[in-house]
Amino acid sequence: MITAELRQAIAAAAGLDADPRLRPGPAPGSYASSLPFRLPSEVAQDLARRLGAESWIAHADITAPGYLTVTVTRDTLATLAVRIVRAGPACAASDALRGRAVPAPPPPDLPAEPSWPAARAALAAHLTARLAATAGASVSFYPERAGVPLPGIPPSSPAERSLATSAPMPHPLPAPGRGRAGSPQVPAERASVAPSGPVAEAIRYAGADHARFALARMPPGGPAPEAAAIARHVLANPAYAVRYAHAAAAAVLRWAAALGQLAEPGELALLDALAWLPEQVAVAARRGRPDEFAGYLEELAGRTLDTMDTTGFTAISTISSERLWLADAARTGLATGLGLLGVSAPDRL
């Protein structure tokens, strides 16, 4: 949420609608932008002064070579957990892709895909559109068309807007009574036969959520997942680890609820990771790379597990109300991210 608000603040202070290209700064709560590279020196300095005057920003500086580094106040970062919990799934939203038009294919039938690359392509196209919509893009759905991975979302133009509202997607879905390539109608006795390709077999073996997450994190041209590996309930398996981290955060809330009065602050590193959720959604959508968003969720899960270990809580003094908000924020952020990928987020595993 902080990155979404910082993006708006930079645009307002600079007086132009340009992508600030935010990057992590040197410490939790700090954010770097390369926008000064594209501005005259005096305009960049004025931008820093305007941002530094904001009550929620501790300081803003132009740093060599041409970067703007903004550090928010400690209170801004500390209250992020409460804001995320109250926002719910909207904590991932931003207007980073406002004005972009994105064509969207329907949800893919993953078990019916003939190969892992084909399933990855179909899912990536669908997820890219979902992420883009969350980042403020205008999305046009085509229930009669299937798609291929969007290579990224270019700047909006009249031609692109026309394409998004009228042009067909590259690969048509089967028409009623026709096969995927327009082949004759499938006999009724064959229509009910369960798919038998490698993806369908992996879904049956590992479960739909594990297979879907493995596909979502699969980069273009990446190796096909192994069903036995993605089925394992170990933290080395990202398909399990991200959902386990969500359950771990939920467990902290259940465990701590019985302790009564609480005190002491939460962890800045986890808050800083959560602050990047809207920006990571936008970047993955802009690049057409949902696998990069899945990678961000893996990092967020790692920070959550490092912080939300209930074995470290042995007395009331070891957990605080701030930590409870942080646990709920981590749970909310992970559930939102998994939901964008179409993966369930159980409270218990």
Side-chain angles (χ1 to χ4, degrees), residues 101-303:
V102 182
D109 182 5
L110 297 179
E113 295 295 341
S115 66
W116 283 104
R120 184 261 163 207
L123 182 61
H126 175 66
L127 293 182
T128 293
R130 292 185 68 171
L131 295 170
T134 303
S138 175
V139 177
S140 299
F141 291 92
Y142 296 87
E144 77 283 6
R145 301 286 181 179
V148 295
L150 304 175
I153 303 173
S156 181
S157 68
E160 290 164 345
R161 286 193 291 271
S162 174
L163 174 67
T165 55
S166 61
M169 294 296 289
H171 298 302
L173 281 175
R178 308 291 292 180
R180 180 172 291 273
S183 56
Q185 184 174 357
V186 178
E189 64 272 14
R190 293 176 54 195
S192 61
V193 176
S196 59
V199 179
E201 293 174 2
I203 290 173
R204 284 192 289 269
Y205 184 81
D209 283 321
H210 280 207
R212 187 181 179 95
F213 189 89
L215 276 168
R217 72 184 297 272
M218 181 177 172
E226 297 180 5
I230 64 175
R232 298 182 65 197
H233 284 208
V234 295
L235 296 182
N237 172 21
Y240 174 77
V242 176
R243 299 172 77 232
Y244 177 82
H246 174 271
V252 168
L253 298 176
R254 290 194 303 271
W255 185 89
L259 290 179
Q261 188 175 0
L262 306 170
E264 291 307 316
E267 298 288 339
L268 293 181
L270 178 53
L271 281 170
D272 187 58
L274 285 165
W276 283 95
L277 178 56
E279 192 70 11
Q280 291 289 345
V281 168
V283 170
R286 187 183 295 111
R287 289 169 50 81
R289 293 289 301 272
D291 57 292
E292 294 181 353
F293 181 68
Y296 160 73
L297 290 183
E298 293 175 40
E299 295 178 9
L300 181 58
R303 290 187 182 274

Side-chain angles (χ1 to χ4, degrees), residues 1-12 16-20 22 90-100 131-138 277-279 281-283 285-286:
M1 297 176 75
I2 290 177
T3 55
E5 292 162 350
L6 182 58
R7 173 182 286 276
Q8 293 177 339
I10 291 175
L16 49 87
D17 188 11
D19 183 4
L22 294 176
C91 68
S94 73
D95 64 354
L97 298 185
R98 176 174 49 85
R100 310 290 179 90
L131 295 170
T134 303
S138 175
L277 178 56
E279 192 70 11
V281 168
V283 170
R286 187 183 295 111

Side-chain angles (χ1 to χ4, degrees), residues 35-37 39-51 61-62 66 68:
L35 185 59
F37 277 116
L39 299 174
S41 176
E42 62 277 9
V43 175
Q45 292 293 339
D46 185 60
L47 169 62
R49 283 193 295 270
R50 288 172 178 267
L51 291 171
D61 306 288
I62 301 298
L68 167 70

